[in-house]
Amino acid sequence: EDQVTQSPEALRLQEGESSSLNCSYTVSGLRGLFWYRQDPGKGPEFLFTLYSAGEEKEKERLKATLTKKESFLHITAPKPEDSATYLCAVQARGGTSYGKLTFGQGTILTVHP
Amino acid sequence: AAGVIQSPRHLIKEKRETATLKCYPIPRHDTVYWYQQGPGQDPQFLISFYEKMQSDKGSIPDRFSAQQFSDYHSELNMSSLELGDSALYFCASSLRGFEAFFGQGTRLTVV
């Protein structure tokens, strides 16, 4: 069964204090690893999909990287508006349809001014 | 750009009633997913459709059913509602499984 574990569960940063969120996964053949941002009561907002080890993607202050066992979401010089829950999800290969995303529990990020 | 549209945004039902949630995927997307998210929890996969055919099934109760119609919109039907069904229900769509985009969700409250 596919499993995703995110750490830490919660992270408090000062504005401008860079850090990283971790997503460890086990999956029977990774098709894609997804990162989302979710604000309270809202739908997950798509950030990145990574498909192969060594791949990196960037968007503003966020950079996602992927290895064979884990992914990191690096946040550079965060701002208070980056405060949210960050979710990681994996999608397994296989079949002719495009399978479900299995989510981790998320990391609650709080950035203080 | 068009996004995933869900309706209604909020729904209050009594126990044992029936609810129908609707999802309109992004145009030309061929895959629809339904998720349930309880307070403080990660989204739990319910069911998915690929080209209007059920493609995968998760922890969806037998009281729930879903389908995707010829215009690609999808409906999640929930019967004999229980208090524990209160949650946020999300629909997501993707093209061939890449970049799954979520709607804003339906908040279901069962009283």
Side-chain angles (χ1 to χ4, degrees):
Chain A
E1 186 175 327
D2 304 338
Q3 285 195 320
V4 180
T5 303
Q6 292 187 245
S7 62
E9 291 185 11
L11 181 62
R12 291 176 175 272
L13 298 174
Q14 287 297 126
E15 184 172 2
E17 180 188 1
S18 301
S19 189
S20 296
L21 282 57
N22 177 263
C23 171
S24 299
Y25 63 90
T26 54
V27 63
S28 53
L30 180 70
R31 184 173 186 271
L33 184 139
F34 297 70
W35 281 100
Y36 289 88
R37 169 196 170 122
Q38 187 175 28
D39 293 302
K42 301 281 185 69
E45 175 189 342
F46 174 81
L47 294 174
F48 307 106
T49 309
L50 301 167
Y51 297 102
S52 57
E55 189 175 2
E56 299 182 352
K57 288 191 177 175
E58 288 188 65
K59 179 180 179 180
E60 296 180 352
R61 295 178 291 282
L62 301 176
K63 178 180 177 180
T65 61
L66 180 66
T67 72
K68 288 186 178 180
K69 292 187 182 297
E70 59 190 353
S71 176
F72 291 94
L73 184 65
H74 307 279
I75 303 177
T76 302
K79 299 181 178 182
E81 53 261 43
D82 294 323
S83 297
T85 297
Y86 289 84
L87 294 166
C88 170
V90 296
Q91 182 185 56
R93 273 201 303 267
T96 56
S97 63
Y98 302 102
K100 63 182 181 180
L101 274 63
T102 300
F103 283 86
Q105 291 279 11
T107 293
I108 302 171
L109 174 66
T110 305
V111 182
H112 296 284
Chain B
V4 177
I5 306 296
Q6 291 188 245
S7 67
R9 292 295 309 279
H10 303 274
L11 192 57
I12 300 175
K13 291 286 185 178
E14 294 189 355
K15 283 192 303 185
R16 294 180 288 279
E17 284 194 317
T18 297
T20 298
L21 280 55
K22 296 186 178 183
C23 169
Y24 297 85
I26 293 171
R28 293 182 293 281
H29 278 194
D30 54 19
T31 305
V32 167
Y33 310 87
W34 283 98
Y35 283 83
Q36 177 191 60
Q37 187 175 31
Q41 298 186 351
D42 57 288
Q44 295 295 312
F45 173 72
L46 294 176
I47 195 167
S48 63
F49 294 87
Y50 170 65
E51 285 292 348
K52 296 168 281 185
M53 298 288 288
Q54 182 181 310
S55 56
D56 205 350
K57 201 169 182 180
S59 50
I60 182 170
D62 291 341
R63 300 178 288 107
F64 293 7
S65 65
Q67 58 182 324
Q68 188 175 26
F69 295 86
S70 58
D71 64 352
Y72 286 85
H73 95 272
S74 179
E75 295 184 3
L76 178 65
N77 296 291
M78 310 159 70
S79 63
S80 302
L81 287 169
E82 302 173 356
L83 296 178
D85 296 328
S86 296
L88 275 166
Y89 290 83
F90 292 108
C91 169
S93 74
S94 74
L95 178 62
R96 299 195 304 277
F98 300 111
E99 300 181 351
F101 293 93
F102 282 74
Q104 287 302 300
T106 294
R107 180 177 295 280
L108 173 67
T109 304
V110 182
V111 297

